[in-house]
């Protein structure tokens, strides 16, 4: 067996689970997932209940769903969360199948704190409640400007915006139950051109985790323009003991 084959086989033993952020179906991670599969990883992209049209499913339902994914895979797994996905990652902190947690411009709560608490009690003006006050959504044009402003491709920008969905308000209001990651290694990727989450807030949350920190000069969602950078980080995280 060649060394290259052995390394590829070792990487394929690692599973990657992506946890999208608010308003994001799993499809927004398709290009990044494809890149990681080319590198020999098994990839699962979560379809969060709170992004799936249910008004009653919030953070706790999302956390239970993520835990079930990890249980079903029953393999060493790197779990990756973007934005609100960091809230969900924190719900499964300490899961025995997780070998590394990667936060990408993601919220990091402590127990008893909701995402709404972390943004100061009010969501920004570009996040709009529906008439029934059960869901939040974001204007697609605003989302392109704020989240993927430098993707470098009008087609990719349009695809990202067209895939966005409403999210239940319960996702933002339910408090975290995190127990913390303990001895599990954690990495945090800070997006320094972020228009949705200030860099200083990301730095503070990364510090609260004691995370290994990397930076990338991109808006809030680096899964398009900087997917190779993100893939490299995840691959390195999978290789760490």
């Amino acid at each position: 067996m060649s060394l290259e084959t052995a390394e590829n086989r070792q990487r394929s033993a690692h599973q990657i689970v992506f946890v999208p952020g608010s308003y994001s179906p799993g499809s927004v991670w398709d290009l990044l997932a494809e890149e990681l599969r080319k590198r020999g990883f098994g990839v699962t992209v979560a379809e969060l209940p709170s992004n799936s049209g249910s008004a009653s499913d919030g953070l706790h339902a999302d956390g239970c769903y993520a835990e079930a994914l990890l249980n079903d895979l029953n393999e060493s797994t790197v779990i990756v969360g973007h934005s609100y996905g960091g809230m969900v990652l924190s719900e499964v902190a300490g899961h025995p199948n997780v070998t590394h947690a990667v936060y990408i411009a993601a919220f990091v709560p402590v127990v008893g704190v909701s995402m709404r608490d972390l943004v100061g009690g009010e969501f920004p003006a570009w996040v709009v409640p529906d008439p029934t006050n059960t869901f939040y959504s974001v204007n697609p044009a605003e989302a392109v400007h704020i989240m993927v402003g430098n993707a470098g491709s009008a087609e990719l920008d349009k695809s990202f915006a067209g895939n966005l969905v409403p999210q239940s308000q319960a996702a933002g209001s339910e408090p975290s139950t995190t127990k913390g990651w303990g001895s599990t290694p954690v990495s945090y990727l800070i997006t320094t051109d972020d228009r949705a989450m200030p860099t200083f807030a990301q730095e503070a949350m990364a510090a609260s985790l004691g995370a290994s920190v990397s930076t990338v000069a991109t808006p809030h969602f680096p899964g398009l323009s900087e997917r190779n950078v993100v893939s490299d980080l995840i691959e390195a995280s999978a290789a760490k003991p």
Side-chain angles (χ1 to χ4, degrees), residues 134-168:
T134 52
F135 294 95
Y136 281 114
S137 60
V138 58
N139 180 285
E142 290 280 359
V144 167
H145 172 68
I146 291 165
M147 295 186 183
V148 294
N150 70 341
S153 164
E155 183 179 353
L156 288 179
D157 289 353
K158 183 178 179 181
S159 174
F160 177 87
N163 282 327
L164 296 178
V165 296
Q167 184 182 43
S168 71

Side-chain angles (χ1 to χ4, degrees), residues 43-54:
V43 180
T44 301
V45 184
E47 295 289 353
L48 295 179
S50 68
N51 285 333
S52 301
S54 171

Side-chain angles (χ1 to χ4, degrees), residues 11-236:
R11 285 202 298 265
S12 69
H14 283 278
Q15 296 289 326
I16 311 298
V17 170
F18 282 105
V19 182
S22 299
Y23 328 115
S24 301
S27 58
V28 302
W29 291 100
D30 280 352
L31 291 175
L32 192 55
E34 179 183 353
E35 172 60 30
L36 285 162
R37 290 186 181 112
K38 289 178 181 176
R39 300 185 186 203
F41 292 101
V43 180
T44 301
V45 184
E47 295 289 353
L48 295 179
S50 68
N51 285 333
S52 301
S54 171
S56 60
D57 287 334
L59 176 61
H60 299 157
D62 290 342
C64 289
Y65 170 80
E67 182 178 20
L69 278 182
L70 293 169
N71 291 340
D72 289 345
L73 285 171
N74 196 28
E75 293 185 48
S76 296
T77 302
V78 175
I79 190 166
V80 183
H82 172 249
S83 195
Y84 165 78
M87 299 291 298
V88 182
L89 258 63
S90 299
E91 288 296 288
V92 297
H95 192 287
N97 292 344
V98 175
T99 62
H100 204 112
V102 179
Y103 288 70
I104 300 175
F107 289 100
V108 179
V110 296
V111 64
V113 169
S114 69
M115 184 170 67
R116 182 188 288 272
D117 295 330
L118 289 174
V119 299
E122 293 293 336
F123 289 112
W126 49 270
V127 175
V128 182
D130 77 334
T132 65
N133 279 318
T134 52
F135 294 95
Y136 281 114
S137 60
V138 58
N139 180 285
E142 290 280 359
V144 167
H145 172 68
I146 291 165
M147 295 186 183
V148 294
N150 70 341
S153 164
E155 183 179 353
L156 288 179
D157 289 353
K158 183 178 179 181
S159 174
F160 177 87
N163 282 327
L164 296 178
V165 296
Q167 184 182 43
S168 71
Q169 291 195 18
S173 61
E174 290 181 355
S176 175
T177 65
T178 184
K179 299 178 179 65
W181 284 105
S183 61
T184 304
V186 182
S187 295
Y188 196 109
L189 181 64
I190 294 173
T191 47
T192 59
D193 292 344
D194 203 311
R195 303 180 183 99
M197 186 185 297
T199 298
F200 72 82
Q202 295 181 56
E203 291 171 341
M205 288 187 285
S208 75
L209 287 169
S212 173
V213 175
S214 303
T215 62
V216 60
T218 183
H220 190 59
F221 184 80
L224 297 178
S225 62
E226 299 294 344
R227 57 186 177 274
N228 285 329
V229 173
V230 179
S231 296
D232 288 345
L233 173 62
I234 294 168
E235 184 172 22

